[in-house]
Structure formats: C-alpha cells, structure tokens
Amino acid sequence: MPEFQKVAVIGLGYIGLPTAAVIASRGMQVVGVDTNECVVKTVTSGSVHIAEPDLDGLVQKVVSNGSLVVTTKPEQADVFIIAVPTPIDNTKRPDLTSVTAAIESIVQLLAPGNLVIIESTSPVGTTESVAKRISKLRSDLSIGTNGKERNASISVAYCPERVLPGRILTELVNNDRCIGGVTASCARQAQRFYKMFVRGACIATTARTAELVKLTENAFRDTNIAFANELSLICDRFSINVWEVIDLANRHPRVNVLRPGPGVGGHCIAVDPWFIIDSAPDLTRIMKASREVNDYKTTSTIERAIAVIEDHPYANVACCGLAFKANVDDLRESPALEISLDLAKKYGSRIKVVEPNIRELPLQLSEYGAELLDIDKAVRTCEIAVLLVDHDEFKMVPLAERRHLDVIDTRGIWQDMPVRT
Ligand code: SAJ
C-alpha cells in the first residue's frame, strides 16, 4: 500500500491552496481545511479566493474529480501539512497563535506512521516545541523513532515554502526544498513525501536549520532591497538618476544591486527578518537597519509626493498601483496602499487610484473621496502621477500620453522622460 494516500492541508491561503491542489493532482486524496467558511464555500464550488496564474483551472479540476475535498474540520490522514499565517504582532514579535491552534486541532487525530509538516514561516525552535507539545498530549506516540517502535511513532518536520507569488504553481514543483526533521528519520519520511510532487532537489537537514534557512532567504532579500533603497535616497540628495547608477554598476561582473521602490511589502520579506531580530536582538544590527531603511523609504515617498502636490494646488493626482508588487492583486502590507491612503487623507477626491488588478477600492480609500480609475483615464485627467507599482499596464503607457505629467517614479519604469525618481 502506498505510504502517503491521504493528505490534510490545514490553512488554504496563498500557500496552502496551491499546495493542496498540486498534491491532489498527483493522485493523492487531499482534504483542505480552513476555519473561514467563505473560503471553504468558494473552493468547494471549484473557484478560488486568491488570484494566481492557472490556480483556478487546477482547483476546478481537482475539486470536480473529487481528489480535493474542502472542509472546516480536520480529519484523519497520513500526512498533515500546516500552512497557516504566522504574522508579527504590534511589537514585531512572532505571533504563532494559528500554528498552535492548527496543532491542537489535529493532535487527537494522529495515528502511528503519520507525518506532520509545518510549512508556515516560524522562529527557530518552533518545530521542536510543536513536537514536544504533541508528545505531551499524545504520550502513546513517540516522535521520529526507528526500528521496533516505528509503528507507534509519528514524524514531525519543518519544510518551508519558497514560492514567488505570481509563479506559485511552477515554483511549487520546480524549486529545491529544504526538509528539516526533528530527527533524521522524520526528515527521511518528509523527504519521501515531497519527492512525490517536487521535481527540484529535496535536501534533508534538521528542523532548526530549515527554520533559519527560510528566515535567511527573506532577510537576505530585505537587506539587499534596503541597499537599493538607501542608494536611491543618496542619489536624490545628489540629483543623480539612481536607475542609471544601478544599470551601470550592475555591468560589473560581480555586482547585482536590486531595485529601489516605495518600500517593501507583502507578508514575507517585511515580516520575516523580525523573527530573527526578535530571537537575537543583540546580533542583528544589519537586519534591523535594513527594516528601518525600507520602512523609511515609504515615509520619504509620502513626503516627496506631498512636496510636489503642494506645488500644484488644484491638480489631480494619479496614484498608480496599490498592490505590494507588480502584477498581483495582493494589497497586504503594501507600501503603495499606505502611501495612497496617506495622500487620500490629506487631499481627498483629488486622489485618483489606478489598480488594474482590483474591481473596487478598499473602503478606507473611498471614504476619503479617492476614486478608482483605469490608467488611460487617470493619465488623461491628472497632472501629477505617483508611480508606485511596476504593473505591466503602466509600462505600456506611451510617452506621448504622459508627457504632461509631473511624475514621481518610485519603480523606474517611466525613465524615458525627465522625472523625479
Ligand atoms: N522589491 C523591491 N525591489 C526589488 C525586489 C522586490 O522593492 O528589487 C519589493 C517588492 O516590490 C515587494 C517586496 O519587495 O514590495 C517583496 O517582493 P518579492 O518579489 O521580493 O518577494 P515576495 O514577498 O513576493 O516573495 C518572497 C520570496 N522570497 C525571496 O525571494 C527570498 C519568495 O520566494 C518567498 O516564498 C516568499 O517571500 C515567502 O512566502 O516567504
């Protein structure tokens, strides 16, 4: 009998739902679990609640052929994957409430031979604590033991996801995976499982190492973006075009400066470094400074926009983009949203928002009188543009149609005209 026939995925968000759908498409029976009844209803009807290329078609297929079933309550399975959010609280400390609740919801269902995998981004030591908690609540089960006791044992592992929104389905299958076991046998069992649907290498390590690997990846990117953002502030002071500096510097064979922007958004890069900072505050000077630089870039963009708007007392302002990055509809932790909101608070109906990936403005923005326009109408009716996201739709606006605009280009995509960077 195959070792992994039935898989329960707890949490059907940006990671859980695509993971559940991919596993279901590989011939395993999958139960997707989410406490949000709207999510369960949507997916049960074969639809999706998140925009991600090709996800709708895949979910439709696996739901209609019965290999993915969705519910609010977990049930017995061979493998349990925890893919719930792990945000930071107001004091920037990791909030593991959802992981704890997910574990509590499955612990009494566990049976010998089961595999429990945490995919949620977690501070170092979380998986070991989870294993201890399971041992405490289920003294009949041992964790990761081999040999004679094997039938009474379960495995616990940490296997971080590293997929890029916008490319999730491809990266889920093709990226290498780092598989951290609480014991070596736990890692081996998890490795066997991931090899069933991952084409990339599945590399075994300890749970603690895998936890830090995930945090390292995102902290590394945050620090590199901070370098680019700091450089953009320096260039502004010296009236030098930062995009030209980066382009020329990157011609050096060993230099690769990333792109500045209006700050760092999303629920990962701007959050995960805090997991490391929180656990080693005395050792994380670069990571903390990077977070501060990236947050300051949002503040400085607001200040620059205000300075330009104050120079044009009656002008309408196009805030181009609300999403946290190009070509997605995700507004979570978005600096573009924060900037547009601040400007709408101050300038009300003069603010015209362009976001091609949403149908309705978030309530906070419309309450201040801001209006959602398409890009063509916005460039026609505004005199100022604050370009916040490098969506494809914005890249395609010809120079002739935006020549009249006073532009703050935080993404460097309208560099064919004299602009403020
Ligand atoms: N950004 C810049 N300049 C750049 C690159 C990005 O300002 O040169 C900004 C984006 O505009 C956005 C933010 O950074 O606001 C994050 O975007 P991103 O594309 O760098 O990353 P995410 O948040 O979409 O996904 C990241 C990825 N991590 C890494 O690249 C190390 C992804 O692989 C992870 O799976 C994901 O976090 C996650 O879930 O942790």
Side-chain angles (χ1 to χ4, degrees), residues 161-163 165 214 218 221 259 265 268 324-325 411:
E161 57 76 22
R162 39 168 60 142
V163 292
K214 170 67 193 181
N218 283 353
R221 192 152 171 86
R259 297 183 72 76
C268 306
F324 86 90
K325 67 175 197 173
R411 298 286 186 173

Side-chain angles (χ1 to χ4, degrees), residues 266-278:
H267 41 288
C268 306
I269 307 262
V271 171
D272 297 2
W274 291 110
F275 286 37
I276 309 182
I277 298 167
D278 177 64

Side-chain angles (χ1 to χ4, degrees), residues 40-103:
V40 171
K41 232 189 229 165
T42 307
V43 181
T44 302
S45 71
S47 307
V48 292
H49 57 290
I50 49 182
E52 179 62 33
D54 303 325
L55 183 63
D56 46 357
L58 185 65
V59 166
Q60 224 261 316
K61 186 170 148 210
V62 290
V63 168
S64 64
N65 71 19
S67 47
L68 173 62
V69 174
V70 183
T71 162
T72 52
K73 288 254 175 310
E75 51 190 70
Q76 276 195 324
D78 303 311
V79 183
F80 293 86
I81 298 179
I82 313 292
V84 295
T86 46
I88 45 172
D89 66 17
N90 296 337
T91 61
K92 314 262 188 218
R93 305 204 64 193
D95 174 358
L96 299 179
T97 318
S98 299
V99 171
T100 309
I103 294 295

Side-chain angles (χ1 to χ4, degrees), residues 78-221:
D78 303 311
V79 183
F80 293 86
I81 298 179
I82 313 292
V84 295
T86 46
I88 45 172
D89 66 17
N90 296 337
T91 61
K92 314 262 188 218
R93 305 204 64 193
D95 174 358
L96 299 179
T97 318
S98 299
V99 171
T100 309
I103 294 295
E104 303 286 324
S105 76
I106 62 164
V107 72
Q108 296 309 331
L109 299 171
L110 294 176
N114 280 179
L115 169 62
V116 177
I117 296 164
I118 300 177
E119 286 210 4
S120 313
T121 303
S122 301
V124 174
T126 303
T127 312
E128 287 175 356
S129 306
V130 162
K132 278 195 192 119
R133 179 79 185 142
I134 294 174
S135 293
K136 191 166 172 218
L137 296 171
R138 292 292 305 271
S139 51
D140 55 318
L141 295 172
S142 53
I143 292 181
T145 45
N146 274 317
K148 290 180 196 147
E149 291 161 296
R150 189 171 176 174
N151 286 344
S153 76
I154 62 158
S155 293
V156 179
Y158 181 72
C159 306
E161 57 76 22
R162 39 168 60 142
V163 292
L164 196 70
R167 292 175 43 83
I168 292 182
L169 288 181
T170 316
E171 293 208 356
L172 251 181
V173 174
N174 292 311
N175 288 0
D176 293 349
R177 296 297 288 244
C178 181
I179 309 219
V182 166
T183 68
S185 71
C186 293
R188 280 195 297 274
Q189 191 180 6
Q191 218 177 6
R192 287 197 296 279
F193 171 65
Y194 279 94
K195 279 186 177 164
M196 299 199 51
F197 63 95
V198 170
R199 232 178 270 143
C202 296
I203 300 153
T205 182
T206 65
R208 293 169 77 79
T209 304
E211 285 160 347
L212 189 57
V213 166
K214 170 67 193 181
L215 300 175
T216 300
E217 291 165 0
N218 283 353
F220 175 83
R221 192 152 171 86

